[in-house]
Each structure stands twice: as structure tokens, then as C-alpha cells.
């Protein structure tokens, strides 16, 4: 499998950064191990710890199976007409990008600025704001 194939599979599966890195490294670990290199040498070549190499080797079947499963889910959703790449999850406490956390204490910040406060003193308005919440 080429690097381009791997990257396309990562994109289709919608893997987060950590899982994507694990999926990228797993084939390299397996190839080097099969060629007879010891764990320490594989770790040195991949710039990681021997424990990580052991984990990648032990978890290789689950890692590949997870990616294949996620790709299958993607294609199934696509067939059903719901298919773009899986949406990213949004935190329940997410705010709109147009919503300002400073707006409730805007008057305090303006008063400090008009009174001649330097920019270093204005962050304390945030602490004042916390007392109003």
C-alpha cells in the first residue's frame, strides 16, 4: 500500500490525528519487524519508543479493522444518500464564532481604557466579569 492510498483511507475513515498517526506507522512497524529488525532498531528508525512499537505490532489487526469498518460505514452512508465525510462532533458548550465572551463586560473594559489603563491592566476586567456570573 502506498502512502497516497494510506492518506486516502485515513480521509475516508475520518480518523482523528492520533489514530491517523497510528495507522500510518503500523504498516512500517510490521514491514520492518518481518524483515528481521529488532524492536529497538525499529523504534530508532521511526523515532519512537520501543513500547510504542510493541503496541503498534500487537494492535495492528484492530487498527486495520477499525479503519476498514469506518470506510465501510462511509460508503454505506453515501449509498443511502446521506454521505459526505462524517461530520465532526461539536462540543455542547460551543459558542457561535460571532458571539463574544467579552461583550458582557464591554462597559468595564471601555471605562478602563478611557481612564488610561494600559492593555496589560485590561485582562483584569475578565476577573471582574467572573464576579457578575
Amino acid at each position: 500500500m502506498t502512502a497516497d492510498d494510506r492518506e486516502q483511507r485515513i480521509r475516508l475513515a475520518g480518523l482523528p490525528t492520533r489514530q491517523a498517526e497510528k495507522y500510518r506507522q503500523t504498516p512500517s512497524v510490521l514491514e520492518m519487524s518481518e524483515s528481521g529488525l529488532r524492536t529497538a532498531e525499529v523504534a530508532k528508525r521511526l523515532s519512537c519508543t520501543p513500547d510504542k512499537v510493541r503496541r503498534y505490532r500487537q494492535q495492528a489487526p484492530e487498527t486495520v479493522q477499525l479503519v476498514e469498518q469506518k470506510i465501510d460505514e462511509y460508503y454505506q452512508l453515501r449509498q443511502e444518500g446521506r454521505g459526505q465525510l462524517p461530520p465532526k462532533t461539536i462540543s455542547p458548550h460551543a459558542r457561535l464564532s460571532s458571539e463574544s465572551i467579552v461583550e458582557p463586560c464591554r462597559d468595564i473594559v471601555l471605562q478602563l481604557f478611557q481612564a488610561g489603563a494600559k492593555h496589560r491592566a485590561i485582562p483584569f476586567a475578565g476577573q471582574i466579569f467572573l464576579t457578575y456570573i
Side-chain angles (χ1 to χ4, degrees):
M1 178 183 309
T2 66
D4 291 337
D5 291 339
R6 248 182 249 144
E7 292 304 315
Q8 184 175 7
R9 290 168 115 32
I10 289 169
R11 188 179 60 78
L12 288 173
L15 295 180
T17 307
R18 270 191 176 165
Q19 288 179 344
E21 186 59 32
K22 183 177 180 180
Y23 185 70
R24 283 186 196 105
Q25 294 288 349
T26 298
S28 302
V29 167
L30 293 176
E31 289 170 7
M32 288 183 209
S33 295
E34 286 176 9
S35 69
L37 293 176
R38 293 186 312 175
T39 302
E41 184 62 31
V42 173
K44 186 186 248 184
R45 288 187 184 190
L46 294 177
S47 301
C48 63
T49 64
D51 287 336
K52 191 175 269 191
V53 170
R54 284 186 207 99
R55 261 185 278 130
Y56 285 164
R57 196 180 309 127
Q58 289 171 348
Q59 296 172 357
E62 293 89 12
T63 302
V64 173
Q65 185 178 11
L66 173 74
V67 172
E68 295 298 325
Q69 180 183 1
K70 286 188 175 199
I71 291 172
D72 290 344
E73 288 172 6
Y74 165 73
Y75 280 118
Q76 184 178 7
L77 286 174
R78 196 157 177 205
Q79 273 185 335
E80 295 171 1
R82 298 187 283 163
Q84 291 296 327
L85 288 175
K88 293 187 175 186
T89 57
I90 299 174
S91 167
H93 305 292
R95 298 173 189 239
L96 296 174
S97 61
S98 61
E99 186 179 320
S100 171
I101 61 171
V102 179
E103 192 60 37
C105 60
R106 180 175 187 255
D107 296 333
I108 297 170
V109 172
L110 287 175
Q111 286 174 358
L112 288 169
F113 183 71
Q114 290 170 351
K118 303 292 181 192
H119 69 281
R120 293 180 186 263
I122 292 178
F124 293 112
Q127 291 175 351
I128 295 168
F129 167 69
L130 291 176
T131 61
Y132 290 116
I133 295 180

